[in-house]
């Protein structure tokens, strides 16, 4: 028995594919060209975020009424479009802000982890040392990002590139699975 979700998937699977291919392209560019100007990568990201956002909004709106969670796709799309607009109009601040957000996040996460490790030690949890090690590493990474922001941005670009490549490849597989599943029903 075919559902309206299947019908949407049959007609819109290619939107998922486009979204995933854009993610792979962004990942490859970020990994293959880390030495290019950061400004170019920010514009690539801004373009990617805008196009990915429009694709997500389009898919979500097409699934409206047939998929109970269509709003999440629209919400993701709106956030991506907003991120793309911010990156286009404030590229320098975008790079530096991203670095500082990640650095402060790592430090705060690490400090909280130290507290968690000592609480676990007090409870007699034998793995508290690993928790402490992970927390200390978080703090160290955060501090290093703040001390050497240039190297930190390059490292973040590599991490974002690797994440985008893996995420995009998984998305391509998902798009073809959705298409195949919809075709067999």
């Amino acid at each position: 028995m075919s559902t309206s979700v299947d019908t949407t998937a049959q007609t819109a699977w290619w939107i998922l594919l486009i979204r995933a291919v854009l993610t792979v392209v962004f990942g490859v560019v970020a990994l293959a060209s880390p030495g290019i100007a950061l400004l170019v990568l920010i514009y690539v990201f801004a373009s990617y975020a805008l196009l990915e956002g429009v694709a997500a909004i389009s898919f979500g709106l097409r699934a409206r009424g047939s998929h109970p969670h269509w709003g999440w796709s629209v919400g993701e799309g709106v956030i991506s479009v907003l991120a793309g607009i911010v990156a286009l109009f404030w590229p320098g601040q975008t790079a530096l802000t991203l670095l500082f957000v990640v650095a402060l996040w790592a430090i705060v996460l690490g400090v909280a982890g130290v507290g968690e490790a000592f609480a676990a030690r007090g409870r007699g949890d034998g793995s508290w040392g690993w928790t402490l090690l992970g927390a200390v590493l978080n703090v160290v990474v955060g501090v290093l990002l703040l001390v050497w922001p240039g190297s930190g941005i390059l490292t973040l670009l590599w991490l974002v590139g690797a994440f985008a490549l893996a995420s995009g490849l998984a998305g391509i597989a998902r798009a073809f699975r959705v298409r195949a599943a919809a075709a067999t029903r």
Side-chain angles (χ1 to χ4, degrees):
M1 176 164 112
S2 180
T3 67
S4 55
V5 172
D6 296 331
T7 303
T8 301
Q10 278 182 321
T11 61
W13 69 271
W14 58 272
I15 295 173
L16 292 174
L17 181 62
I18 289 171
R19 183 178 178 190
V21 168
L22 289 171
T23 304
V24 168
V25 169
F26 174 71
V28 168
V29 168
L31 288 171
S33 303
I36 67 173
L38 183 58
L39 182 61
V40 172
L41 285 176
I42 290 171
Y43 286 145
V44 167
F45 166 76
S47 300
Y48 158 77
L50 287 168
L51 293 171
E52 192 277 337
V54 169
I57 291 168
S58 175
F59 182 79
L61 292 176
R62 289 183 71 133
R64 184 184 63 227
S66 65
H67 194 281
H69 304 293
W70 66 272
W72 287 104
S73 184
V74 171
E76 289 174 10
V78 169
I79 290 169
S80 289
V81 168
L82 291 175
I85 290 169
V86 167
L88 279 176
F89 288 104
W90 297 288
Q93 292 83 353
T94 297
L96 200 55
T97 299
L98 176 62
L99 176 80
F100 288 136
V101 165
V102 170
L104 293 175
W105 170 70
I107 291 168
V108 169
L109 193 65
V111 169
V114 168
E116 179 185 345
F118 285 113
R121 180 179 178 205
R123 292 189 310 269
D125 184 343
S127 65
W128 71 271
W130 291 108
T131 303
L132 180 62
L133 176 63
V136 169
L137 288 174
N138 277 339
V139 171
V140 168
V141 166
V143 169
L144 289 175
L145 288 174
L146 293 175
V147 172
W148 290 299
S151 298
I153 287 174
L154 182 60
T155 301
L156 283 177
L157 290 172
W158 286 337
L159 291 172
V160 166
F163 169 76
L165 183 60
S167 175
L169 292 173
I172 289 170
R174 176 179 174 233
F176 283 114
R177 282 190 178 211
V178 165
R179 178 182 176 211
T184 60
R185 293 182 188 199

